[in-house]
Amino acid sequence: MKKLTVTIGIPAYNEETNIGFLIGDLLNQNQTNYSIEKIIISSDGSTDKTTEIIRNLKNKRILLFDNKKREGIAVGQNRIIKNTNSDVLVLLDADIRIRNPKFLEKLIF
């Protein structure tokens, strides 16, 4: 049976205090029945270190859109949607943490 591919989409604005932790939480998910193909972050004109933190992660699955001006969450979500062809797309808020290593598995299945 083929594993499902998953893209995680995260619109973000000034999330320097959390974004690195959230991405770490996602990369530590138990991926038995699926694989995370991409984590797409759309920074909506962030003026803090959000984009710098993401760039420093240097993970080939992470794709960053660094918008220089505020365009709103819907524009960020649409950008994410247009840049995925995975079996499943999960949109998350940038200010959350994921403690359960089976969070995505429970959400998807």
Side-chain angles (χ1 to χ4, degrees):
M1 180 170 152
K2 176 187 167 253
K3 278 187 170 185
L4 288 176
T5 58
V6 176
T7 292
I8 310 296
I10 307 169
Y13 173 70
N14 288 351
E15 294 292 344
E16 70 182 2
T17 59
N18 193 62
I19 197 70
F21 294 115
L22 174 57
I23 293 170
D25 294 343
L26 292 168
L27 293 173
N28 288 322
Q29 288 290 292
N30 180 354
Q31 299 178 48
T32 305
N33 300 317
Y34 66 93
S35 63
I36 296 175
E37 186 175 41
K38 289 188 249 183
I39 299 174
I40 304 173
I41 300 101
S42 180
S43 175
D44 191 24
S46 293
T47 57
D48 65 357
K49 295 182 180 183
T50 298
T51 57
E52 181 182 332
I53 291 166
I54 296 164
R55 284 188 183 102
N56 286 336
L57 294 173
K58 297 184 190 321
N59 186 302
K60 65 181 180 175
R61 292 183 287 176
I62 297 172
L63 176 61
L64 171 66
F65 291 102
D66 185 6
N67 309 321
K68 298 303 179 193
K69 65 177 186 166
R70 300 276 326 253
E71 297 177 308
I73 193 168
V75 172
Q77 289 173 332
N78 286 333
R79 188 171 285 118
I80 290 165
I81 292 166
K82 288 177 186 174
N83 285 279
T84 185
N85 57 358
S86 297
D87 297 317
V88 177
L89 170 62
V90 176
L91 292 173
L92 298 174
D93 287 338
D95 61 353
I96 66 167
R97 291 292 310 271
I98 299 171
R99 305 284 185 204
N100 187 334
K102 293 189 177 226
F103 168 80
L104 288 175
E105 183 176 86
K106 289 180 178 187
L107 184 66
I108 295 166
F109 297 100

